[in-house]
Amino acid sequence: MSVQAHLGELAAKHKALEAELEDAMSHPATSDAEIAELKRKKLRIKDEMTKLSGQRTH
């Protein structure tokens, strides 16, 4: 898989997590731990995207 394709896949996952996070935050039954876990997953994806973007420019 090319770096560009991988970045596209990660961007799609990031967007899906963003939607899931917004949905979770709108429901009072969602625990703080669940919200924190979604935020951690989103951040890991963002970090990986940043890392891959840096590799692509070299």
Side-chain angles (χ1 to χ4, degrees), residues 15-45:
K15 188 174 181 175
L17 276 172
E18 178 67 30
E20 189 177 346
L21 181 60
E22 286 179 22
D23 185 54
M25 288 175 40
S26 70
H27 291 89
T30 307
S31 73
D32 289 344
E34 290 172 300
I35 290 172
E37 181 60 27
L38 288 171
K39 287 181 178 181
R40 277 192 293 277
K41 285 180 183 179
K42 194 174 152 207
L43 183 59
R44 279 194 296 269
I45 290 172

